[in-house]
Amino acid sequence: MAEKELIETDRLTIRRFRNDDWGDLHEYLSNAEVVRFEPYDVFSEEDCRNEAARRSSDKAFWAVCLKEDNKLIGNIYFNRQEPDEFSNWEIGYVFNPEYWGKGYAAESCRAIIDYGFRELNARRVVAMCNPENTRSWRLLERLGMRREGHLVKNIYFKRDEHGEPIWNDTYEYAILAEEWLDYSS
Ligand SMILES: CC(C)(COP(=O)(O)OP(=O)(O)OC[C@H]1O[C@@H](n2cnc3c(N)ncnc32)[C@H](O)[C@@H]1OP(=O)(O)O)[C@@H](O)C(=O)NCCC(=O)NCCS
């Protein structure tokens, strides 16, 4: 089946990135609260120009836009993990805080996961998040995903003022195709 370039939900258009998305991207990737749990720091305008261009040819990244005014309000990462034959796909998401608390992340993630299971032959969708990122794991539970693991101090993304790694715990979540198709039918 051909890969989709566009997915529509009630309120949202989910599409490929374009070079001119950098301004909307900058609105949220320049916010320290937004990138707090991400493996990167805040983005400058120039970083966002480069990132929008890079994402425009990276099929793992989806731009989530409001139907009413085409505003880009967030992004989803959805990518097959190696080895390919396991058909495990990872999902991630980052949204503009102006648009949190409206169900947009859930609506778009649900559509992407559904696309993955129904059309990309995904067998299992997984997600990872920091236990302190309550909004993130509540979203995963809203999507019907199961918490399968709590890894203790397994990873660091950032260092403290002395240059020492800040070790973080990780929750691992997953859902299988058969569970999703039962749950969403
Ligand atoms: C994680 C993140 C995407 C969650 O966003 P969110 O807006 O809380 O998630 P949802 O789309 O599921 O919205 C749920 C909220 O919308 C509310 N809501 C309002 N209208 C709604 C509607 N029509 N439909 C569904 N929910 C609606 C829900 O009641 C819920 O409110 P609550 O948070 O007060 O319980 C967001 O916090 C984010 O971008 N964080 C920064 C990046 C990040 O940490 N990413 C994850 C790294 S692992």
Side-chain angles (χ1 to χ4, degrees):
M1 190 168 306
E3 285 180 31
K4 282 192 177 171
E5 294 296 313
L6 187 82
I7 297 173
E8 280 191 68
T9 66
D10 285 350
R11 298 178 294 173
L12 304 167
T13 303
I14 307 165
R15 60 161 173 78
R16 297 294 175 199
F17 266 88
R18 300 191 301 243
N19 289 353
D20 64 359
D21 287 329
W22 70 268
D24 284 339
L25 210 50
H26 186 252
E27 253 188 52
Y28 60 94
L29 292 184
S30 60
N31 182 327
E33 188 195 355
V34 173
V35 302
R36 176 171 166 212
F37 297 107
E38 291 297 300
Y40 46 76
D41 253 321
V42 286
F43 277 47
S44 66
E45 274 194 17
E46 193 192 342
D47 294 336
C48 287
R49 285 180 198 273
N50 294 334
E51 187 65 6
R54 196 191 64 71
R55 290 186 185 187
S56 66
S57 59
D58 184 343
K59 295 206 159 179
F61 282 91
W62 292 88
V64 179
C65 306
L66 286 182
K67 269 187 180 168
E68 60 187 27
D69 58 5
N70 297 321
K71 170 92 179 158
L72 187 161
I73 60 162
N75 61 261
I76 294 178
Y77 168 86
F78 191 60
N79 204 21
R80 187 168 57 190
Q81 300 179 310
E82 290 185 355
D84 287 359
E85 64 265 31
F86 284 10
S87 301
N88 286 329
W89 288 66
E90 184 179 356
I91 191 163
Y93 33 75
V94 182
F95 278 70
N96 183 327
E98 292 289 318
Y99 301 89
W100 292 2
K102 298 180 191 309
Y104 292 137
E107 184 171 323
S108 49
C109 286
R110 206 170 278 128
I112 289 283
I113 294 172
D114 203 61
Y115 168 56
F117 282 135
R118 289 181 198 278
E119 298 185 45
L120 298 176
N121 224 9
R123 190 185 60 81
R124 180 176 154 90
V125 172
V126 304
M128 253 95 46
C129 84
N130 186 319
E132 289 175 32
N133 195 352
T134 311
R135 276 193 173 271
S136 180
W137 59 257
R138 281 178 53 208
L139 164 60
L140 295 170
E141 295 191 355
R142 216 172 278 129
L143 293 169
M145 295 179 76
R146 171 183 47 250
R147 187 184 299 168
E148 295 187 343
H150 180 169
L151 312 186
V152 178
K153 293 194 175 177
N154 66 308
I155 199 168
Y156 80 91
F157 297 137
K158 290 167 191 174
R159 293 173 180 271
D160 67 15
E161 65 277 19
H162 308 296
E164 295 299 324
I166 304 172
W167 292 102
N168 293 320
D169 290 9
T170 302
Y171 279 161
E172 291 187 329
Y173 278 80
I175 188 164
L176 298 170
E178 60 263 35
E179 295 169 324
W180 181 267
L181 297 171
D182 273 356
Y183 169 84
S184 64
S185 59

